[in-house]
Amino acid sequence: MESRPAAVAECDLLLTGGRVIDPETGRDEIADVAITGGTIVAVGGSSPRADVTVDVGGRVVTAGFIDLHSHAQNIPSLRLQALDGVTTALELESGAGDVARSLARAGDEGRPINYGYSASWAQARMDVLDGSSPDGGFLDFTNGLAGANWQKPAEASELDKIVGRLEEQLSVGALGIGVLVGYAPQTGRNEYLRVASLAARYGVPTYTHARFKNPEDPESALEGVAEVVAAAAGTGAHMHLCHVNSTSLRAIDEVAELIDGARQRGLDVTTEAYPYGAGMTAVGVPFLHPDRLPRLGIEPSNLSIVATGERPKDAARLLQIRQESPGALVIIHYLDEDKEEDVSLIRRALLMRDTAVASDAIPFTTPAGLVVEGDRALPPDASSHPRTTGTFARFLRTTVRESGALSLAEALRRCSLLPANILTEVVPAMARKGRVQVGADADLVVFDPGLVSDRSTYAASQTSSTGFDHVLVAGRAVVRDGNVVTTALPGRAVVRGAR
């Protein structure tokens, strides 16, 4: 691929007068971008004739954002991610229990942006140990939380079956292995190393939710990350640490030092973060048992049940909710976003060297616990975490415009090129994403750097980001003039080995 002008006589679409920022070459200048058949065919130079010309003067034109960590794998949720500049949203931390079926379902329904899945270690365990045979994504996982056996250590024969299930998923296009070891911390180090060894053999990453996140020993956040680093050293696997902010919390400086040291010694360890102080998951996970909350520095009232807004008043009420509805989604307020010392922790996680931006987006659900599926608009009472709709705009607002902690070019690199590069070895086709160059995929975002901002809150999580004028996927507008194009479903599958 090249960023120098190309002699093109005509094109399908021409974006004129925009400030083109290419995260790979460092190009930052006013230039036209020509697109034909879903591919960038010219950047700069003389303008070709175009079927459609769009004036984007006063706006930045850059590569679409690649979200490595999105559980929001349905049309209405992905449309809101598109309004946040996202052109590719991948389910990698939790993964899918049946990757082929998940890909087929998404392909049949259509998706506004690109999609793909890892193989789910947790769902493989649910299949082998509880016979639940989940086949979908994150919400299939939460529905299986009540299983009696999946969190227990596996016998040798059971472990062989779990690894076999994962290998089956890798053979049909899984982008690696999602390992929610923090949700089953008693499963043991041997199994984790077996999974990492499988990933190394197939040349794919693991995407790990670390085993521990407590601030102090034993079972500290540092110990959890050290296990990820040790697996990289012992197996040679590419180990990706998910949401370093929420699994490190107040130990972020020690974790950053550990990861930097691992990289300096040649270990393939990558990571990601999102710009919020609260996490979100199912209320029945082990680390939210009321006996464990004090070690995290929180109490039951720091939890908010998404469907009802209830904050459990005490341990007894939390235990009751966990027993009755273990899969109920809950927001966990770990850090106080109104306190500068806590905001500083969030910022330091985001500013760690070569840390990608990833949302950990969650599908919207109604108070009745129904997930909004299909091509329907979200009902007014559907809710999620604000990171589902505001992560990338919030990152740009806080780290570039307000604090100046990052240059705009570096911030955009962390949203697009960096996540693309994390995946390039397993998906060579990702070398055409995260770039504004001749030959690159026309996954592009056009935005106003002075106006781009998140608007979603914990009380109003549906509110979309602002400032993103146009979002293109394979050259087709999924957002035009700041509005979703409801007829556009150009998203394509991202699968292992694709070129």
Side-chain angles (χ1 to χ4, degrees):
M1 291 183 295
E2 300 179 5
S3 59
R4 63 175 181 265
V8 176
E10 56 186 34
C11 64
D12 296 340
L13 173 65
L14 186 67
L15 304 177
T16 64
R19 176 188 171 189
V20 174
I21 298 180
D22 176 38
E24 184 171 56
T25 64
R27 180 174 196 156
D28 186 346
E29 63 180 1
I30 304 299
D32 295 350
V33 178
I35 298 164
T36 293
T39 300
I40 298 172
V41 295
V43 183
S46 59
S47 297
R49 294 187 303 275
D51 294 339
V52 177
T53 299
V54 179
D55 181 358
V56 293
R59 301 295 190 264
V60 167
V61 180
T62 194
F65 304 155
I66 299 168
D67 191 349
L68 298 175
H69 191 154
S70 174
H71 307 299
Q73 295 294 321
N74 56 45
I75 292 172
S77 298
L78 291 174
R79 281 179 172 153
L80 283 165
Q81 286 214 266
L83 285 165
D84 199 35
V86 177
T87 55
T88 299
L90 305 173
E91 166 62 278
L92 300 182
E93 181 214 35
S94 181
D98 188 325
V99 171
R101 187 176 298 181
S102 295
L103 289 170
R105 182 185 300 125
D108 290 343
E109 294 177 357
R111 291 292 184 264
I113 61 180
N114 303 313
Y115 56 92
Y117 309 89
S118 71
S120 174
W121 167 79
Q123 292 187 47
R125 291 188 117 257
M126 290 174 177
D127 186 3
V128 171
L129 300 176
D130 284 321
S132 61
S133 299
D135 64 29
F138 182 72
L139 293 174
D140 251 9
F141 160 70
T142 62
N143 289 336
L145 278 173
N149 300 308
W150 80 270
Q151 297 179 41
K152 296 179 180 179
E155 301 291 339
S157 61
E158 294 169 332
L159 180 52
D160 288 342
K161 291 179 181 179
I162 293 167
V163 172
R165 297 286 195 280
L166 295 174
E167 194 161 4
E168 290 170 4
Q169 302 310 309
L170 291 173
S171 70
V172 296
L175 301 173
I177 305 171
V179 191
L180 289 169
V181 70
Y183 290 71
Q186 302 307 311
T187 50
R189 306 299 199 277
N190 177 60
E191 180 168 341
Y192 188 70
L193 285 173
R194 277 283 302 275
V195 172
S197 295
L198 174 65
R201 180 154 55 89
Y202 273 80
V204 299
T206 68
Y207 310 95
T208 300
H209 178 120
R211 195 180 299 268
F212 308 123
K213 63 171 66 179
N214 300 312
E216 298 176 353
D217 292 327
E219 301 183 350
S220 69
L222 189 59
E223 183 181 340
V225 176
E227 180 180 24
V228 176
V229 171
T235 68
H238 173 180
M239 306 298 292
H240 182 79
L241 178 65
C242 296
H243 45 44
V244 68
N245 55 302
S246 66
T247 50
S248 300
L249 295 172
R250 301 184 189 281
I252 190 63
D253 296 327
E254 294 87 349
V255 166
E257 183 178 1
L258 176 61
I259 292 174
D260 275 344
R263 290 171 173 169
Q264 290 168 15
R265 289 160 178 81
L267 300 183
D268 197 355
V269 179
T270 55
T271 192
E272 64 183 51
Y274 59 79
Y276 294 89
M280 184 177 181
T281 189
V283 72
V285 300
F287 56 84
L288 293 184
H289 190 283
D291 290 347
R292 301 190 182 187
L293 297 186
R295 293 215 59 204
L296 291 172
I298 59 176
E299 54 191 31
S301 62
N302 290 117
L303 277 57
S304 176
I305 307 301
V306 173
T308 63
E310 178 185 357
R311 289 186 175 234
K313 64 179 180 178
D314 53 29
R317 176 56 181 154
L318 176 56
L319 284 171
Q320 181 183 7
I321 295 171
R322 284 168 57 89
Q323 182 175 4
E324 294 174 352
S325 306
L329 296 176
V330 60
I331 291 176
I332 314 142
H333 293 276
Y334 294 115
L335 302 176
D336 189 338
E337 293 170 17
D338 292 325
K339 291 183 177 179
E340 177 53 37
E341 61 191 86
D342 285 5
V343 171
S344 177
L345 291 168
I346 300 169
R347 186 180 303 120
R348 297 207 294 276
L350 290 166
L351 297 180
M352 284 174 54
R353 185 170 63 87
D354 284 340
T355 294
V357 180
S359 70
D360 199 357
I362 302 287
F364 280 81
T365 56
T366 67
L370 300 176
V371 181
V372 182
E373 297 282 9
D375 194 14
R376 297 187 295 127
L378 290 172
D381 59 351
S383 57
S384 180
H385 191 295
R387 67 193 183 195
T388 301
T389 49
T391 287
F392 291 86
R394 185 182 182 94
F395 173 70
L396 294 176
R397 172 176 65 82
T398 58
T399 64
V400 179
R401 190 168 68 244
E402 293 180 353
S403 70
L406 294 175
S407 68
L408 179 57
E410 171 60 13
L412 294 175
R413 184 185 76 88
R414 291 172 180 241
C415 296
S416 57
L417 180 66
L418 180 56
N421 286 343
I422 286 171
L423 289 174
T424 299
E425 285 194 17
V426 63
V427 188
M430 293 302 290
R432 296 194 301 271
K433 297 190 186 296
R435 297 155 171 88
V436 189
Q437 302 171 27
V438 173
D441 293 343
D443 295 348
L444 298 170
V445 61
V446 179
F447 69 95
D448 186 333
L451 295 179
V452 67
S453 184
D454 56 307
R455 299 186 296 173
S456 56
T457 65
Y458 295 103
S461 54
Q462 280 195 35
T463 311
S464 62
S465 294
T466 187
F468 293 101
D469 296 273
H470 308 288
V471 178
L472 308 180
V473 175
R476 290 188 60 190
V478 295
V479 172
R480 182 184 295 124
D481 296 322
N483 298 305
V484 168
V485 181
T486 57
T487 57
L489 296 171
R492 301 171 180 173
V494 179
V495 296
R496 185 174 77 89
R499 295 183 180 275

mmCIF file of all heavy atoms in Angstrom, residues 242-250 252 272-276 278 335 345-346 349-350:
data_model
loop_
_atom_site.group_PDB
_atom_site.id
_atom_site.type_symbol
_atom_site.label_atom_id
_atom_site.label_comp_id
_atom_site.label_asym_id
_atom_site.label_seq_id
_atom_site.Cartn_x
_atom_site.Cartn_y
_atom_site.Cartn_z
ATOM 1 N N CYS A 242 -6.774 -8.073 28.521
ATOM 2 C CA CYS A 242 -7.967 -7.255 28.311
ATOM 3 C C CYS A 242 -8.128 -6.207 29.399
ATOM 4 O O CYS A 242 -7.688 -6.394 30.539
ATOM 5 C CB CYS A 242 -9.207 -8.147 28.260
ATOM 6 S SG CYS A 242 -9.208 -9.300 26.870
ATOM 7 N N HIS A 243 -8.753 -5.100 29.029
ATOM 8 C CA HIS A 243 -9.083 -3.972 29.916
ATOM 9 C C HIS A 243 -8.128 -3.850 31.116
ATOM 10 O O HIS A 243 -8.494 -4.089 32.261
ATOM 11 C CB HIS A 243 -10.527 -4.014 30.392
ATOM 12 C CG HIS A 243 -11.052 -5.344 30.860
ATOM 13 N ND1 HIS A 243 -10.340 -6.180 31.681
ATOM 14 C CD2 HIS A 243 -12.233 -5.952 30.637
ATOM 15 C CE1 HIS A 243 -11.071 -7.247 31.930
ATOM 16 N NE2 HIS A 243 -12.228 -7.132 31.303
ATOM 17 N N VAL A 244 -6.901 -3.430 30.800
ATOM 18 C CA VAL A 244 -5.884 -3.300 31.848
ATOM 19 C C VAL A 244 -6.321 -2.328 32.934
ATOM 20 O O VAL A 244 -5.904 -2.445 34.092
ATOM 21 C CB VAL A 244 -4.534 -2.863 31.233
ATOM 22 C CG1 VAL A 244 -4.600 -1.445 30.696
ATOM 23 C CG2 VAL A 244 -3.388 -3.012 32.220
ATOM 24 N N ASN A 245 -7.198 -1.392 32.616
ATOM 25 C CA ASN A 245 -7.673 -0.435 33.612
ATOM 26 C C ASN A 245 -8.480 -1.118 34.710
ATOM 27 O O ASN A 245 -8.256 -0.884 35.907
ATOM 28 C CB ASN A 245 -8.518 0.656 32.948
ATOM 29 C CG ASN A 245 -9.669 0.092 32.131
ATOM 30 O OD1 ASN A 245 -9.457 -0.688 31.211
ATOM 31 N ND2 ASN A 245 -10.891 0.456 32.458
ATOM 32 N N SER A 246 -9.429 -1.975 34.326
ATOM 33 C CA SER A 246 -10.337 -2.536 35.331
ATOM 34 C C SER A 246 -9.801 -3.783 35.998
ATOM 35 O O SER A 246 -10.335 -4.191 37.044
ATOM 36 C CB SER A 246 -11.703 -2.832 34.704
ATOM 37 O OG SER A 246 -11.614 -3.860 33.748
ATOM 38 N N THR A 247 -8.758 -4.411 35.433
ATOM 39 C CA THR A 247 -8.155 -5.540 36.137
ATOM 40 C C THR A 247 -6.924 -5.125 36.930
ATOM 41 O O THR A 247 -6.433 -5.906 37.750
ATOM 42 C CB THR A 247 -7.774 -6.678 35.164
ATOM 43 O OG1 THR A 247 -7.036 -6.144 34.073
ATOM 44 C CG2 THR A 247 -9.003 -7.382 34.654
ATOM 45 N N SER A 248 -6.446 -3.896 36.720
ATOM 46 C CA SER A 248 -5.313 -3.392 37.503
ATOM 47 C C SER A 248 -5.759 -2.426 38.583
ATOM 48 O O SER A 248 -5.183 -2.400 39.680
ATOM 49 C CB SER A 248 -4.310 -2.688 36.575
ATOM 50 O OG SER A 248 -3.826 -3.571 35.606
ATOM 51 N N LEU A 249 -6.762 -1.593 38.262
ATOM 52 C CA LEU A 249 -7.302 -0.622 39.219
ATOM 53 C C LEU A 249 -6.171 0.186 39.850
ATOM 54 O O LEU A 249 -5.413 0.845 39.164
ATOM 55 C CB LEU A 249 -8.178 -1.341 40.250
ATOM 56 C CG LEU A 249 -9.443 -1.995 39.652
ATOM 57 C CD1 LEU A 249 -10.169 -2.847 40.694
ATOM 58 C CD2 LEU A 249 -10.386 -0.963 39.054
ATOM 59 N N ARG A 250 -6.012 0.106 41.154
ATOM 60 C CA ARG A 250 -5.032 0.962 41.844
ATOM 61 C C ARG A 250 -3.596 0.438 41.758
ATOM 62 O O ARG A 250 -2.673 1.081 42.257
ATOM 63 C CB ARG A 250 -5.453 1.174 43.297
ATOM 64 C CG ARG A 250 -6.825 1.829 43.395
ATOM 65 C CD ARG A 250 -7.256 2.154 44.804
ATOM 66 N NE ARG A 250 -8.648 2.582 44.829
ATOM 67 C CZ ARG A 250 -9.071 3.801 44.498
ATOM 68 N NH1 ARG A 250 -8.200 4.721 44.155
ATOM 69 N NH2 ARG A 250 -10.359 4.103 44.525
ATOM 70 N N ILE A 252 -2.109 0.046 38.817
ATOM 71 C CA ILE A 252 -1.799 0.268 37.408
ATOM 72 C C ILE A 252 -0.317 0.571 37.174
ATOM 73 O O ILE A 252 0.261 0.141 36.173
ATOM 74 C CB ILE A 252 -2.691 1.385 36.818
ATOM 75 C CG1 ILE A 252 -2.525 1.445 35.301
ATOM 76 C CG2 ILE A 252 -2.414 2.723 37.476
ATOM 77 C CD1 ILE A 252 -2.952 0.211 34.582
ATOM 78 N N GLU A 272 -5.019 -3.327 26.315
ATOM 79 C CA GLU A 272 -6.067 -2.381 25.925
ATOM 80 C C GLU A 272 -6.645 -1.732 27.182
ATOM 81 O O GLU A 272 -6.450 -2.224 28.299
ATOM 82 C CB GLU A 272 -7.190 -3.129 25.197
ATOM 83 C CG GLU A 272 -7.853 -4.116 26.144
ATOM 84 C CD GLU A 272 -8.936 -4.976 25.542
ATOM 85 O OE1 GLU A 272 -8.695 -5.601 24.496
ATOM 86 O OE2 GLU A 272 -10.023 -5.050 26.144
ATOM 87 N N ALA A 273 -7.392 -0.629 27.001
ATOM 88 C CA ALA A 273 -8.028 0.040 28.134
ATOM 89 C C ALA A 273 -9.229 0.842 27.653
ATOM 90 O O ALA A 273 -9.344 1.149 26.465
ATOM 91 C CB ALA A 273 -7.039 0.965 28.842
ATOM 92 N N TYR A 274 -10.108 1.171 28.582
ATOM 93 C CA TYR A 274 -11.233 2.060 28.275
ATOM 94 C C TYR A 274 -11.306 3.173 29.324
ATOM 95 O O TYR A 274 -10.831 3.007 30.453
ATOM 96 C CB TYR A 274 -12.557 1.298 28.175
ATOM 97 C CG TYR A 274 -13.008 0.533 29.400
ATOM 98 C CD1 TYR A 274 -13.608 1.173 30.484
ATOM 99 C CD2 TYR A 274 -12.873 -0.856 29.464
ATOM 100 C CE1 TYR A 274 -14.053 0.463 31.593
ATOM 101 C CE2 TYR A 274 -13.314 -1.574 30.562
ATOM 102 C CZ TYR A 274 -13.907 -0.909 31.622
ATOM 103 O OH TYR A 274 -14.340 -1.612 32.725
ATOM 104 N N PRO A 275 -11.908 4.325 28.978
ATOM 105 C CA PRO A 275 -11.796 5.522 29.833
ATOM 106 C C PRO A 275 -12.922 5.717 30.842
ATOM 107 O O PRO A 275 -13.485 6.809 30.964
ATOM 108 C CB PRO A 275 -11.797 6.652 28.786
ATOM 109 C CG PRO A 275 -12.683 6.140 27.703
ATOM 110 C CD PRO A 275 -12.442 4.660 27.641
ATOM 111 N N TYR A 276 -13.246 4.672 31.593
ATOM 112 C CA TYR A 276 -14.304 4.770 32.602
ATOM 113 C C TYR A 276 -13.822 4.148 33.906
ATOM 114 O O TYR A 276 -12.964 3.261 33.901
ATOM 115 C CB TYR A 276 -15.576 4.059 32.135
ATOM 116 C CG TYR A 276 -16.222 4.715 30.942
ATOM 117 C CD1 TYR A 276 -15.861 4.364 29.648
ATOM 118 C CD2 TYR A 276 -17.190 5.706 31.102
ATOM 119 C CE1 TYR A 276 -16.444 4.971 28.545
ATOM 120 C CE2 TYR A 276 -17.785 6.316 30.011
ATOM 121 C CZ TYR A 276 -17.403 5.955 28.734
ATOM 122 O OH TYR A 276 -17.973 6.569 27.648
ATOM 123 N N ALA A 278 -15.953 2.590 36.058
ATOM 124 C CA ALA A 278 -16.831 1.481 36.428
ATOM 125 C C ALA A 278 -16.734 0.370 35.406
ATOM 126 O O ALA A 278 -16.551 0.613 34.210
ATOM 127 C CB ALA A 278 -18.280 1.966 36.528
ATOM 128 N N LEU A 335 -13.929 2.934 40.655
ATOM 129 C CA LEU A 335 -13.255 4.220 40.820
ATOM 130 C C LEU A 335 -14.269 5.343 40.703
ATOM 131 O O LEU A 335 -15.241 5.242 39.956
ATOM 132 C CB LEU A 335 -12.163 4.385 39.758
ATOM 133 C CG LEU A 335 -11.070 3.307 39.730
ATOM 134 C CD1 LEU A 335 -10.118 3.545 38.561
ATOM 135 C CD2 LEU A 335 -10.306 3.280 41.046
ATOM 136 N N LEU A 345 -5.819 7.547 37.761
ATOM 137 C CA LEU A 345 -5.579 6.112 37.551
ATOM 138 C C LEU A 345 -6.106 5.679 36.185
ATOM 139 O O LEU A 345 -5.445 4.932 35.458
ATOM 140 C CB LEU A 345 -6.253 5.300 38.653
ATOM 141 C CG LEU A 345 -5.672 5.417 40.066
ATOM 142 C CD1 LEU A 345 -6.616 4.783 41.075
ATOM 143 C CD2 LEU A 345 -4.307 4.752 40.136
ATOM 144 N N ILE A 346 -7.308 6.148 35.840
ATOM 145 C CA ILE A 346 -7.888 5.821 34.543
ATOM 146 C C ILE A 346 -6.990 6.347 33.432
ATOM 147 O O ILE A 346 -6.702 5.651 32.454
ATOM 148 C CB ILE A 346 -9.300 6.425 34.430
ATOM 149 C CG1 ILE A 346 -10.222 5.868 35.520
ATOM 150 C CG2 ILE A 346 -9.883 6.162 33.042
ATOM 151 C CD1 ILE A 346 -11.548 6.604 35.644
ATOM 152 N N ALA A 349 -3.752 4.344 32.897
ATOM 153 C CA ALA A 349 -3.981 3.099 32.167
ATOM 154 C C ALA A 349 -4.074 3.366 30.669
ATOM 155 O O ALA A 349 -3.480 2.652 29.850
ATOM 156 C CB ALA A 349 -5.254 2.421 32.658
ATOM 157 N N LEU A 350 -4.798 4.403 30.285
ATOM 158 C CA LEU A 350 -4.955 4.734 28.870
ATOM 159 C C LEU A 350 -3.647 5.157 28.223
ATOM 160 O O LEU A 350 -3.443 4.948 27.021
ATOM 161 C CB LEU A 350 -5.983 5.856 28.712
ATOM 162 C CG LEU A 350 -7.443 5.498 29.003
ATOM 163 C CD1 LEU A 350 -8.265 6.764 29.144
ATOM 164 C CD2 LEU A 350 -8.011 4.609 27.913
#
